[in-house]
Amino acid sequence: MPLNRRTFLGRSAAAGAGVAMAGGVVAGQAGAAERGGHGSGHGGGRAKRYSFTVMGTTDLHGNVFNWDYFTDKEYDDSAHNDIGLAKISTLVNEIREDRGRGNTLLIDAGDTIQGTQLSYYYAKVDPITARRGPVHPMAQAMNAIGYDAAALGNHEFNYGIPVLRKFEEQCDFPLLGANALDAKSLRPAFAPYVIKRLRTPFGRDVRVAVLGLTNPGIAIWDKANVSGKMVFPGLEEQAAKWVPKLRSMGADVVVVSAHSGSSGTSSYGDQLPYVENAAGLVAEQVPGIDAILVGHAHAEIPEYFVTNAETGRRVVLSEPAKWGQRLTLFDFDVAWERGRWAVEKVGARVLNSNAAVEDRKVVRLLEDEHAKVVAYVNQVIGTSVAAMSTVDAPWKDEPLIDLINHVQAETVRAALAGGEFAGLPVLSQASCFSRTAAIPAGEVTIKDAAGLYPFENTLEARVITGAQLKDYLEYSAKYYVRTAAGVPVDTSKLTNAEGTPDYNYDAVSGVTYDVDVAQPVGSRIVGLSFEGAAVDPAARFVLAVNNYRASGGGNFPHVPGAEQVWANSDEIRNTIIQWVRARGSVDPAEFASVGWRLTREGVPVF
């Protein structure tokens, strides 16, 4: 709920960054902060009081500008949200002007360097890791805006640890990850926290500790990049270790920046003994926390209170919407009590970036990088005989999803040719990652092909049985809301049952089957066949599958434990681009077919 705007009676600036040591690792370090005049205080008898604001973003995913590189035009959605750090910068400037810069901090909750073709370009095409390579656009923008700290997100590890370390080196603020540990020493591999000092008019600074926590799922989702190098214990465990330390070091206020949703759920089941979306549990179980900036879940939570089970105190949580659509404001009132500052009141709200213009300083800073990427994504790689889109792909077998599966299956067959597994049938899984992806009739560009696959997934081949395939498809089919025969079907209410995202519905090519949405979950796959005959439960197949799914993402059964017979380090997106380039022309007649359909008691839904 929105808070009443406070009146601030003066200005101050943050003191220099706090630095502390933990286990031989620098535990807190931030860029130079300004010092200025006195901070704001307000009355109330003889009590000393001070107010300040902690601003927060999360899941920026490489968005600097209000621009969609996959459509090559200004970003827009049905709610008319805007995106990007250039707009966030304007909101930040307004808050600093209103509160006084020295009475504010700015933090982020992770997933910064993956998600757009802008971030991809400077990780892969013109990589920041090259000798005399460029400075990452996200580092440039965040440095210019003046971030104080950022937690690590799971997508920070997508391009490998060297890219992440180079990005860390380029940032003027620390990347925090108290639960990102060196696999051998079990010491923090990144700064766990930073302590910032805010100057007050009363001679005693307010010490604000920011503890960074990242997602344990990194160990699964980016296993190839982190296995044997880093481990990622649970958020609750590490928060319980660090928060008392921060308090003993003199922290008056503890803010957690957690790349972890608040729901208490996990998408990787029991593969790790840690909770993926643990921010709410951290607030409930770990005493001494005042506020948590939540990330990862791509939700919008302006203000949410959790009562700590031990102390009975309320902890405020806030998650700003992804990509720079929102800016969280945590507004703190502290009072001087018994020789220290104590939080008297804290609340949160979010600001919508669509009300802001892009900061010209940020635009000018990165207009050359933006222009390079626009030119890159508009390179023509071939032509298409017909237009294709994913508008209906969540409920129909569409040619554009067939294209992904065709390329994946063909790639795996070629890789296995002449080997031990060459005789096994190759199936392929693909999801609808975007309902707005499209290939036009005529010229096809990199942006068209890349729009089909916005994630940095790579391709693997795993061996599964017919029985396991059936289980896999049944699990996938939980995506649909149970809809009785004869009831009108509203596609806006048919999918995403129990919050299942589009990317967790897999269509499998190479077999045919019906999905009976009138049946309960677990009993929906009907007529599963291969080459016209019912699939033998004991039959063996090779499944072309992305590394996210193969590593346990989405908690699909069997595949994470299945034998891996091939893997590739190149992104599936690039495999598709190279496939189009090699052929020159895309013709749906060569790969499109109706392998699955939605039914109710044997009657097709569409």
Side-chain angles (χ1 to χ4, degrees):
M1 296 176 61
L3 302 175
N4 292 330
R5 191 166 183 155
R6 295 187 178 85
T7 301
F8 286 76
L9 304 178
R11 295 171 185 270
S12 70
V19 181
M21 302 296 292
V25 177
V26 175
Q29 179 70 56
E34 297 177 358
R35 277 191 182 272
H38 291 299
S40 61
H42 47 87
R46 299 175 62 184
K48 300 174 182 177
R49 288 185 169 86
Y50 173 75
S51 297
F52 66 94
T53 297
V54 177
M55 299 175 281
T57 55
T58 191
D59 296 278
L60 293 168
H61 282 287
N63 286 287
V64 172
F65 302 103
N66 187 42
W67 194 260
D68 185 343
Y69 292 96
F70 294 128
T71 61
D72 198 27
K73 61 184 180 183
E74 183 175 312
Y75 176 85
D76 193 23
D77 63 15
S78 59
H80 302 298
N81 288 301
D82 286 351
I83 60 176
L85 276 171
K87 283 180 171 272
I88 289 294
S89 182
T90 296
L91 295 179
V92 168
N93 289 339
E94 291 173 353
I95 296 302
R96 286 171 173 163
E97 177 67 22
D98 181 66
R99 271 85 163 149
R101 179 168 184 138
N103 303 316
T104 66
L105 297 173
L106 175 60
I107 64 176
D108 183 80
D111 275 4
T112 303
I113 60 171
Q114 177 277 337
T116 64
Q117 286 295 286
L118 179 71
S119 54
Y120 176 82
Y121 186 90
Y122 288 98
K124 291 285 191 171
V125 181
D126 185 11
I128 61 173
T129 50
R131 187 168 179 266
R132 297 181 181 176
V135 177
H136 198 288
M138 294 301 287
Q140 292 191 60
M142 296 174 81
N143 289 343
I145 296 169
Y147 273 77
D148 292 288
L152 293 165
N154 53 286
H155 284 288
E156 259 66 84
F157 294 84
N158 285 172
Y159 297 117
I161 292 174
V163 169
L164 174 54
R165 287 299 191 191
K166 188 64 178 181
F167 175 71
E168 179 187 30
E169 177 187 315
Q170 294 176 342
C171 291
D172 294 340
F173 51 90
L175 300 183
L176 306 178
N179 61 328
L181 310 181
D182 179 87
K184 294 180 180 178
S185 69
L186 297 183
R187 291 179 174 178
F190 295 85
Y193 66 89
V194 66
I195 296 179
K196 306 292 290 186
R197 293 175 180 264
L198 301 180
R199 176 173 287 180
T200 76
F202 308 109
R204 168 69 154 81
D205 296 344
V206 175
R207 298 179 181 181
V208 182
V210 181
L211 177 69
L213 297 169
T214 192
N215 205 286
I218 294 165
I220 290 176
W221 305 322
D222 267 302
K223 182 178 180 180
N225 291 327
V226 302
S227 182
K229 301 173 183 176
M230 294 184 192
V231 294
F232 303 87
L235 284 82
E236 309 100 303
E237 167 193 326
Q238 294 299 302
K241 172 183 176 180
W242 284 102
V243 171
K245 289 185 178 182
L246 294 173
R247 290 293 186 181
S248 69
M249 292 164 57
D252 301 301
V253 179
V254 174
V255 178
V256 174
S257 183
H259 193 75
S260 180
S262 62
S263 65
T265 61
S266 288
S267 66
Y268 47 75
D270 58 1
Q271 295 174 70
L272 279 180
Y274 310 120
V275 177
E276 175 183 350
N277 295 302
L281 297 174
V282 171
E284 180 184 9
Q285 296 177 13
V286 181
I289 297 170
D290 297 298
I292 301 180
L293 177 65
V294 179
H296 183 61
H298 288 204
E300 181 179 340
I301 306 173
E303 182 183 60
Y304 174 56
F305 287 95
V306 173
T307 300
N308 184 265
E310 182 175 327
T311 66
R313 291 180 62 88
R314 295 202 309 168
V315 182
V316 64
L317 285 71
S318 180
E319 181 174 6
K322 64 184 179 181
W323 305 349
Q325 293 176 1
R326 303 289 186 272
L327 176 70
T328 279
L329 304 182
F330 291 109
D331 287 319
F332 287 86
D333 290 340
V334 294
W336 184 261
E337 297 177 358
R338 294 186 292 275
R340 60 180 295 272
W341 291 107
V343 174
E344 194 172 57
K345 181 181 178 183
V346 57
R349 61 188 175 102
V350 296
L351 301 181
N352 193 331
S353 68
N354 69 8
V357 298
E358 291 190 325
D359 185 345
R360 289 300 306 165
K361 179 180 73 172
V362 176
V363 172
R364 287 193 297 269
L365 179 67
L366 291 165
E367 57 189 359
D368 289 345
E369 287 84 345
H370 174 70
K372 286 181 182 179
V373 176
V374 168
Y376 165 74
V377 300
N378 279 288
Q379 291 179 41
V380 175
I381 57 175
T383 60
S384 179
V385 172
M388 296 174 281
S389 82
T390 56
V391 172
D392 295 329
W395 48 83
K396 289 182 181 179
D397 188 347
E398 288 290 292
L400 209 45
I401 304 299
D402 290 340
L403 173 60
I404 297 172
N405 274 327
H406 179 76
V407 172
Q408 291 182 164
E410 189 176 276
T411 301
V412 168
R413 284 193 199 96
L416 299 180
E420 177 185 355
F421 301 95
L424 294 182
V426 177
L427 314 180
S428 179
Q429 63 78 221
S431 303
C432 177
F433 291 133
S434 167
R435 298 191 183 192
T436 59
I439 295 286
E443 290 186 341
V444 178
T445 63
I446 285 178
K447 73 174 185 288
D448 298 324
L452 297 181
Y453 224 104
F455 299 109
E456 316 307 325
N457 296 342
T458 57
L459 188 61
E460 297 188 14
R462 302 274 180 130
V463 176
I464 61 172
T465 67
Q468 291 173 333
L469 172 64
K470 174 73 157 43
D471 289 346
Y472 187 98
L473 292 171
E474 289 285 8
Y475 182 85
S476 182
K478 73 183 181 69
Y479 169 75
Y480 294 106
V481 175
R482 190 176 184 183
T483 310
V487 174
V489 175
D490 180 353
T491 55
S492 69
K493 300 177 181 179
L494 178 63
T495 63
N496 308 104
E498 298 183 1
T500 303
D502 290 352
Y503 61 77
N504 270 350
Y505 174 66
D506 285 1
V508 174
S509 71
V511 289
T512 57
Y513 57 95
D514 291 345
V515 181
D516 190 336
V517 295
Q519 300 304 313
V521 170
S523 303
R524 292 180 168 180
I525 302 303
V526 180
L528 178 59
S529 302
F530 173 71
E531 294 185 344
V535 168
D536 181 348
R540 295 204 306 163
F541 299 89
V542 172
L543 180 66
V545 58
N546 69 56
N547 69 302
Y548 173 78
R549 190 70 79 235
S551 297
N555 200 29
F556 277 63
H558 305 305
V559 171
E563 181 182 8
Q564 182 194 81
V565 296
W566 178 82
N568 188 13
S569 61
D570 199 17
E571 292 90 355
I572 293 171
R573 173 199 301 134
N574 281 346
T575 302
I576 295 170
I577 290 170
Q578 296 307 321
W579 187 90
V580 174
R581 271 184 167 145
R583 280 149 188 79
S585 179
V586 178
D587 186 353
E590 296 178 0
F591 54 81
S593 64
V594 179
W596 64 274
R597 60 181 182 169
L598 299 188
T599 60
R600 290 182 293 182
E601 299 180 359
V603 178
V605 174
F606 302 106

